[in-house]
Amino acid sequence: MLTYVKYLEYCKIKLVKRIKIVTDSVSCIPKEIIKKLDIKVVPFYFKIDNKEYKDGIDIDTRDVYKFVEEGYPFRAYPPKVEDFLNVFNSLKEKVILCITLSSTFSACIRNCKIAKEMVKDKKIEVIDSLNGAAGEGLLAIYASRLSEKGKKLTEIVSLTKRLATRIKTVVMLDTIKYVFRTGRIPKTLSNFGSLFSLKPILMLHNGKIKPVKLVRNKDRGIQKLLEILLREKEPLHVVVMHADDEIEGRKLVKKIKETVAVREIFLTEFTPIMGFATGKKLIGVSFYSERGEL
């Protein structure tokens, strides 16, 4: 039964002007969730064989991975200042929170902040996700839900920044050879990993990538991902990512549901912007514990 107090609270939430959440396309948020939560996504760019594309708009993700696999020249770069400026000016909301890919990997947040200073008639806050891919997406989803509850901007910013330090992204690469192209590992290690068909498991947390383990096959890698999840306080919010390997992604979702207590879990495609450095067949998870202190 709806009490009078609850009714007043409901009316208060409805009357609050919703804070618009903006993020970039590296966040890997499924289209249905973007639509449901009304999140605005600003696309990254990439060039393949000197032709420019907007991530998630001009070309299918599977086609991107096909080009990567075939060795076409590939370069990714963040939304331009004018892209963010156009988005900010086009939004009807007067209060905006923009969450970007970690500043460790991209100038995206710099361009966003420059655009922010050019908008004088709106209140805009910018947050470094300290993460990427679905880890960034989880943060945008969390902030959007806080906005829907009628939270004030200062509270949303504070809570979202605190959650950013706790979200982890763990991925298993099918091969080590693509990471070498980024210059993040020595060529000798790349050759060693490729020779023995080793699959590296990497963790992204607080803006830093660290190696977790090298495994000899996918089954051992999946087991390691499950072990990492089981070490966290349950229940968990989990996103499973795959790079052009939906079947394996769905299998991992099923295994996680059978093994780990989850509050929510969904499947998404790994962004080809980062997939350039990982190659096809990547499988991974982004997650955080609901029981962590916020």
Side-chain angles (χ1 to χ4, degrees):
M1 183 176 178
L2 185 65
T3 66
Y4 181 66
V5 173
K6 287 184 177 179
Y7 174 74
L8 290 177
E9 290 176 350
Y10 171 80
C11 291
K12 181 180 178 181
I13 290 174
K14 283 294 184 181
L15 290 171
V16 171
K17 290 184 178 179
R18 189 176 185 277
I19 297 164
K20 185 71 172 184
I21 306 302
V22 177
T23 189
D24 58 68
S25 62
V26 171
S27 59
C28 300
I29 305 174
K31 291 180 180 179
E32 60 271 20
I33 295 179
I34 290 172
K35 183 178 180 180
K36 180 181 179 181
L37 297 178
D38 193 26
I39 297 171
K40 181 64 179 179
V41 178
V42 186
F44 263 64
Y45 293 88
F46 47 85
K47 276 189 177 180
I48 301 175
D49 201 21
N50 289 322
K51 185 175 181 180
E52 185 178 84
Y53 300 90
K54 285 185 177 181
D55 183 26
I57 296 176
D58 298 330
I59 189 171
D60 184 80
T61 300
R62 290 183 179 180
D63 290 332
V64 176
Y65 282 116
K66 188 182 298 182
F67 283 124
V68 171
E69 191 82 359
E70 293 174 358
Y72 279 81
F74 186 105
R75 185 169 71 90
Y77 46 98
K80 304 164 189 173
V81 173
E82 53 263 41
D83 293 327
F84 282 113
L85 184 60
N86 290 337
V87 166
F88 293 156
N89 284 329
S90 68
L91 295 173
K92 65 179 184 296
E93 291 85 355
K94 294 296 183 180
V95 185
I96 301 166
L97 173 59
C98 187
I99 299 169
T100 72
L101 172 64
S102 172
S103 57
T104 305
F105 311 113
S106 170
C108 184
I109 193 169
R110 182 193 65 189
N111 293 349
C112 184
K113 286 182 175 180
I114 293 173
K116 166 193 169 181
E117 296 302 320
M118 298 170 70
V119 179
K120 304 302 181 183
D121 62 338
K122 296 183 180 183
K123 175 65 176 177
I124 303 173
E125 291 287 347
V126 181
I127 291 179
D128 184 336
S129 71
L130 303 178
N131 218 289
E136 177 188 346
L138 276 173
L139 205 61
I141 291 169
Y142 175 76
S144 184
R145 287 171 175 165
L146 290 177
S147 174
E148 286 192 332
K149 291 178 180 178
K151 300 292 186 182
K152 294 181 179 179
L153 179 62
T154 52
E155 186 176 7
I156 295 175
V157 169
S158 176
L159 291 173
T160 303
K161 283 184 175 180
R162 289 166 67 179
L163 181 61
T165 64
R166 294 174 37 235
I167 292 178
K168 297 174 183 176
T169 295
V170 185
V171 296
M172 174 176 61
L173 281 57
D174 189 58
T175 174
I176 205 170
K177 67 179 181 180
Y178 294 101
V179 184
F180 166 67
R181 298 191 302 194
T182 68
R184 293 185 181 274
I185 64 170
K187 185 175 182 179
T188 51
L189 179 57
S190 174
N191 292 338
F192 176 80
S194 298
L195 178 64
F196 292 98
S197 300
L198 298 177
K199 302 180 186 300
I201 297 177
L202 308 173
M203 177 181 288
L204 171 55
H205 181 221
N206 271 330
K208 296 180 180 179
I209 295 178
K210 67 176 183 179
V212 175
K213 192 173 185 178
L214 285 170
V215 294
R216 290 190 176 275
N217 57 60
K218 185 167 288 187
D219 288 341
R220 290 186 180 182
I222 294 298
Q223 186 58 41
K224 185 62 181 177
L225 293 180
L226 292 173
E227 289 174 6
I228 291 171
L229 290 174
L230 285 168
R231 289 203 297 261
E232 300 291 320
K233 293 180 180 179
E234 299 171 329
L236 302 180
H237 293 255
V238 183
V239 183
V240 174
M241 300 168 287
H242 70 89
D244 197 23
D245 199 352
E246 185 175 350
I247 293 176
E248 287 299 323
R250 292 191 180 280
K251 287 181 181 178
L252 181 55
V253 169
K254 184 174 183 293
K255 287 182 179 179
I256 291 173
K257 286 181 176 180
E258 294 170 347
T259 310
V260 184
V262 296
R263 178 67 65 199
E264 67 175 342
I265 183 169
F266 56 86
L267 180 67
T268 190
E269 287 186 304
F270 189 71
T271 169
I273 295 296
M274 297 179 75
F276 161 71
T278 62
K280 290 175 61 174
K281 305 300 180 183
L282 169 145
I283 197 83
V285 292
S286 292
F287 59 92
Y288 68 90
S289 168
E290 190 172 276
R291 292 177 60 191
E293 293 183 4
L294 287 178

